[in-house]
Amino acid sequence: MSTSTSTSPTCACKGIRFCASCINSERVKNLTSENVNQNFTDYQTYVFNPADQKCYSSPNLSTNSSVTDIQKHSEWFQQQSPDALTNIESFRINGLLILDDFLSEEEEEKLVKDIELTPWALSQSGRRKQDYGPKVNFKHKKIKCERFIGVPEYADQLLKRMSEKSNGVLSSYQPFELCNLEYEPSRLSAIELHQDDMWIWGNRLISLNLLSDSVMTYENSELKKIVFVFMQRRFLLSMFDEARYQWRHGIFSHHIIGRRIALTMREPAKAFQVGGELYEKYGKELIERGNVRIPSVLN
């Protein structure tokens, strides 16, 4: 993809966000290094071990480490006995859940084919998206419900599987939004460290990792800690409670090693649920729309 500045970049980036198409544009060149690159040299680094749900000290890793290096650390921790890990510094992030092999290869192939029936739209940071959800003005806290006509029918299989494999932790999930995000190495696709909006979106965030392995990075500025979560293909990651509200999360562009589709879902915040102060104004209609299913063949 061209990075020439003589033509307008064919992307949707703005502000501090950039991709391969606009990285050499005047807008990005004028950004200070502080805007673009965060310095984590004074942070301690850890790797999440899904076997015991703990984050283990990994001082040899940094935010520049590759997916392969992080994968090796993750697999090493999983192979160790509890006694062998006793002397390694560790801690827990409450609300960080990984469901491995969430889909079979055949189920992934069918799901991706269904996803591909819908056209992709340009998004920021080198991504493309399919957005099934309301149009939200986060700054002014306003919502236009009309765009939200429902979620694809393949959501039902995923919701059922979430409830079954999570021992009920992800049961009774009411999607307020389903968004598919496509990442490509050639576009320098990424998502900056952030916290999802807390006004409209609720506690449990869902991300299903399709087509290639990757790494989700968690950052806590108060603790000065970075945690790498190796995400294998067909893994489902959910964050809630402490992981949702006390940590930022994101994916660096060098952790995109192949075409990746992230199927994400968000549920309503309490204010939009039954009995909440925004239920009658927005919640009731959005919940009704979230229970409509769109046949894949009609997308």
Side-chain angles (χ1 to χ4, degrees):
M1 185 174 291
S2 173
T3 57
S4 170
T5 60
S6 61
T7 58
S8 300
T10 55
C11 67
C13 300
K14 58 184 178 181
I16 66 170
R17 296 181 177 183
F18 64 94
C19 65
S21 181
C22 65
I23 192 170
N24 292 327
S25 67
E26 290 303 315
R27 175 184 63 82
V28 176
K29 286 180 179 179
N30 289 332
L31 294 174
T32 65
S33 59
E34 184 179 355
N35 291 140
V36 177
N37 300 308
Q38 291 181 275
N39 187 348
F40 298 111
T41 56
D42 59 339
Y43 278 60
Q44 295 176 285
T45 53
Y46 298 79
V47 167
F48 179 72
N49 178 12
D52 62 8
Q53 309 287 302
K54 289 184 179 181
C55 306
Y56 285 91
S57 178
S58 302
N60 293 332
L61 296 179
S62 73
T63 52
N64 294 320
S65 295
S66 69
V67 171
T68 300
D69 287 339
I70 294 168
Q71 177 183 2
K72 289 179 179 178
H73 277 69
S74 177
E75 291 175 348
W76 185 87
F77 287 125
Q78 292 180 67
Q79 293 165 2
Q80 304 309 304
S81 67
D83 289 342
L85 297 174
T86 301
N87 294 326
I88 302 177
E89 181 196 352
S90 66
F91 70 98
R92 294 182 185 274
I93 299 179
N94 183 39
L96 193 53
L97 174 67
I98 284 183
L99 302 179
D100 59 355
D101 293 323
F102 184 77
L103 298 178
S104 67
E105 292 184 20
E106 293 76 15
E107 289 170 332
E108 178 193 42
E109 181 180 3
K110 173 63 166 60
L111 176 58
V112 171
K113 285 182 179 179
D114 286 343
I115 289 172
E116 297 282 24
L117 293 172
T118 297
W120 294 93
L122 285 175
S123 185
Q124 298 197 66
S125 302
R127 294 168 293 158
R128 296 196 303 171
K129 67 179 179 180
Q130 300 170 358
D131 194 359
Y132 301 90
K135 185 174 182 180
V136 184
N137 186 320
F138 298 105
K139 182 178 180 180
H140 298 289
K141 296 186 177 180
K142 293 183 179 180
I143 302 172
K144 291 184 178 179
C145 302
E146 295 76 16
R147 189 185 73 174
F148 189 22
I149 61 172
V151 298
E153 61 184 359
Y154 54 71
D156 284 337
Q157 175 198 9
L158 304 179
L159 293 168
K160 183 175 183 291
R161 188 73 54 83
M162 282 161 50
S163 180
E164 292 171 347
K165 296 200 69 170
S166 68
N167 293 320
V169 174
L170 300 179
S171 63
S172 303
Y173 198 93
Q174 171 64 58
F176 235 34
E177 179 191 65
L178 187 152
C179 185
N180 296 317
L181 293 164
E182 180 201 57
Y183 294 72
E184 283 277 11
S186 63
R187 297 199 299 262
L188 296 181
S189 299
I191 178 65
E192 71 281 355
L193 292 167
H194 69 287
Q195 287 182 313
D196 286 44
D197 183 80
M198 299 177 191
W199 174 65
I200 182 171
W201 311 131
N203 186 26
R204 299 172 296 177
L205 306 179
I206 304 297
S207 181
L208 176 58
N209 191 52
L210 302 171
L211 296 182
S212 66
D213 300 341
S214 189
V215 170
M216 184 76 78
T217 298
Y218 286 83
E219 180 263 347
N220 187 308
S221 59
E222 291 186 6
L223 300 176
K224 295 290 184 181
K225 290 181 178 180
I226 290 282
V227 175
F228 300 114
V229 179
F230 174 65
M231 293 190 298
Q232 194 167 324
R233 182 176 178 175
R234 297 188 298 278
F235 274 30
L236 183 139
L237 183 150
S238 178
M239 62 193 84
F240 46 92
D241 297 344
E242 180 188 348
R244 162 80 162 107
Y245 298 109
Q246 297 180 28
W247 292 74
R248 294 195 301 165
H249 63 279
I251 299 178
F252 298 121
S253 60
H254 59 281
H255 289 160
I256 299 300
I257 57 175
R259 186 181 185 224
R260 172 182 184 260
I261 294 177
L263 186 154
T264 65
M265 282 192 282
R266 298 177 176 93
E267 64 182 350
K270 287 185 178 181
F272 293 82
Q273 298 175 23
V274 176
E277 60 268 29
L278 294 173
Y279 175 72
E280 291 297 334
K281 184 175 183 180
Y282 293 125
K284 183 178 181 180
E285 181 177 358
L286 289 174
I287 289 172
E288 289 175 353
R289 290 172 179 264
N291 288 324
V292 174
R293 296 294 177 261
I294 305 170
S296 298
V297 293
L298 298 180
N299 284 338

